[in-house]
Amino acid sequence: MKVLVTGNAGFIGFHTTKYLLERGDDVIGFDELNSYYDVKLKKARLLELEKIAVKCNETFGSNYSFIKANLADLNSVDKCFHEHQIDYVINLAAQAGVRYSIENPHVYIQSNVVGFTNLLEACRHNHVKHLTYASTSSVYGANTDLPFSERKGVDHPLQMYAATKRSNELLAHSYSNLYDLPTSGLRFFTVYGPWGRPDMALFLFTENILKSKPIKIFNFGNHTRDFTYVDDIVRGVVSVNDMPASPNLIWDSNNPDPSSSKAPFRLLNIGNNNPVKLLDYISAIESALGIEAIKEFLPIQPGDVPDTFADVSQLEEVVGYKPTISVKEGVKAFVEWYRTYYKK
């Protein structure tokens, strides 16, 4: 199959592209390489993908090409679909970051709403078999009933980032309904691992601990998070993509299930299903580094969700998903990558 992976210079996009190539798929990568975080890291991921692609072409005959462009640019999106016969789309391009969305809301509208709309239009006009896209656990917002279930309403986002990702879910449903376009939205829960984002806690904690600088621990360390290793995420993403969404034949409009529809539409949580206390996560980092952190305890930040916990029973039912990597294993793998990449 030929798969378009948007945001493939990003953390999850890089790993997803790698996985697809290594199983023999043709992949078109699409990314604007914006400067939200270190562009050198994004370029290093692309360089790694080029090396992997050469080996995969020799072994499996899989092909890889990369397009540097912005999803919010309709002409670039149309050109991509015109030049390539795309079977499946995995949309991992987005302006990420909770804090940044409070400071720069307009960027999120362009990237996460305008860009996603352009992609939906391209998918429906070019008869794409399935659109799988990244949503986020942040859509659960003010919800406190744990574990978070896709069958419960999520209309109280706590910041702009979550609001734009929720809008993606609503837009996808409208296209599934109007144009019979199969769409699957995946709500990611705190993804971490090698080649991760420098703005994420694991990266920041590791960097500061190695520099003997204090690490900032918000909510006085009382957060719990469903930390999910990137390999588990990618297996889930690709497995869902391989099984296009179909209508729920028993969907009841008098008692509507928010996670499905009479249209070929679905929403699925993808997480570790095993929340970990933030302080235990930090202990895993300290253990992997062999260094004790200097801790600075601070109040909760605006827009933060205190706890996350993914109910993944629907994903397990659909594709047999079961996470396999523990936090201890995953953090160790990240630290090993970090020290190799940054020579520390």
Side-chain angles (χ1 to χ4, degrees):
M1 66 176 74
K2 184 174 283 190
V3 186
L4 172 66
V5 179
T6 67
N8 83 304
F11 171 36
I12 302 172
F14 161 77
H15 284 280
T16 301
T17 302
K18 178 177 179 287
Y19 185 98
L20 291 168
L21 288 171
E22 289 177 342
R23 75 169 194 175
D25 293 325
D26 293 342
V27 182
I28 301 115
F30 191 108
D31 200 300
E32 69 164 329
L33 299 177
N34 71 25
S35 58
Y36 170 64
Y37 65 80
D38 187 9
V39 176
K40 290 181 180 178
L41 178 58
K42 296 180 181 182
K43 289 181 177 179
R45 292 182 187 133
L46 291 178
L47 183 60
E48 186 71 13
L49 284 176
E50 289 173 8
K51 295 175 184 176
I52 292 166
V54 171
K55 294 179 182 178
C56 291
N57 180 265
E58 293 171 352
T59 306
F60 307 111
S62 50
N63 294 303
Y64 169 70
S65 58
F66 173 71
I67 298 168
K68 184 179 182 297
N70 188 336
L71 273 184
D73 178 4
L74 181 58
N75 290 332
S76 294
V77 175
D78 286 344
K79 183 181 179 184
C80 169
F81 279 81
H82 177 73
E83 293 179 352
H84 300 276
Q85 186 61 48
I86 295 165
D87 299 308
Y88 294 84
V89 174
I90 299 177
N91 179 44
L92 301 171
Q95 179 58 60
V98 170
R99 301 281 81 68
Y100 193 64
S101 73
I102 296 171
E103 300 164 11
N104 298 279
H106 294 92
V107 175
Y108 287 75
I109 295 298
Q110 283 299 307
S111 180
N112 299 0
V113 180
V114 174
F116 190 68
T117 302
N118 289 344
L119 194 60
L120 284 167
E121 276 288 283
C123 286
R124 72 113 162 174
H125 284 297
N126 291 276
H127 311 293
V128 166
K129 296 175 183 177
H130 190 200
L131 167 62
T132 303
Y133 62 95
S135 185
T136 173
S137 61
S138 295
V139 300
Y140 288 103
N143 291 22
T144 56
D145 186 11
L146 300 174
F148 291 144
S149 170
E150 311 94 322
R151 292 190 169 98
K152 296 174 183 176
V154 288
D155 291 325
H156 297 88
L158 297 180
Q159 17 73 16
M160 188 68 165
Y161 170 63
T164 59
K165 299 304 279 185
R166 177 60 178 148
S167 76
N168 286 176
E169 297 176 351
L170 299 173
L171 287 166
H173 182 267
S174 69
Y175 273 71
S176 294
N177 177 65
L178 288 171
Y179 308 114
D180 205 32
L181 170 66
T183 64
S184 293
L186 295 173
R187 293 173 176 170
F188 294 162
F189 281 71
T190 316
V191 189
Y192 73 99
W195 295 97
R197 280 172 29 207
D199 62 316
M200 298 293 284
L202 178 55
F203 214 109
L204 294 170
F205 289 166
T206 300
E207 182 178 37
N208 281 5
I209 291 170
L210 285 171
K211 291 179 178 178
S212 298
K213 291 183 176 181
I215 62 171
K216 294 182 178 181
I217 303 174
F218 294 98
N219 198 26
F220 303 104
N222 293 318
H223 282 316
T224 59
R225 288 287 181 266
D226 208 342
F227 296 103
T228 313
Y229 191 66
V230 67
D231 288 0
D232 286 331
I233 287 284
V234 169
R235 284 189 299 102
V237 169
V238 175
S239 296
V240 169
N241 183 67
D242 289 347
M243 298 179 64
S246 58
N248 180 356
L249 300 179
I250 60 170
W251 192 79
D252 182 1
S253 58
N254 290 318
N255 186 28
D257 173 3
S259 70
S260 65
S261 173
K262 288 183 178 179
F265 162 90
R266 66 187 171 202
L267 296 171
L268 296 164
N269 288 336
I270 180 165
N272 198 44
N273 190 229
N274 183 28
V276 172
K277 292 180 180 179
L278 179 58
L279 291 177
D280 290 340
Y281 189 63
I282 292 168
S283 292
I285 303 170
E286 292 173 320
S287 177
L289 289 169
I291 304 170
E292 186 174 347
I294 303 167
K295 303 176 181 71
E296 180 183 358
F297 292 93
L298 298 166
I300 194 169
Q301 297 182 99
D304 262 5
V305 176
D307 305 293
T308 65
F309 181 2
D311 177 348
V312 296
S313 56
Q314 289 205 83
L315 186 60
E316 185 176 347
E317 183 180 326
V318 171
V319 298
Y321 172 84
K322 277 190 177 297
T324 61
I325 309 298
S326 69
V327 162
K328 186 176 180 180
E329 292 174 279
V331 166
K332 182 180 178 183
F334 170 83
V335 167
E336 289 174 353
W337 167 81
Y338 183 95
R339 286 189 136 158
T340 299
Y341 183 80
Y342 288 102
K343 298 179 175 59
K344 293 186 178 181

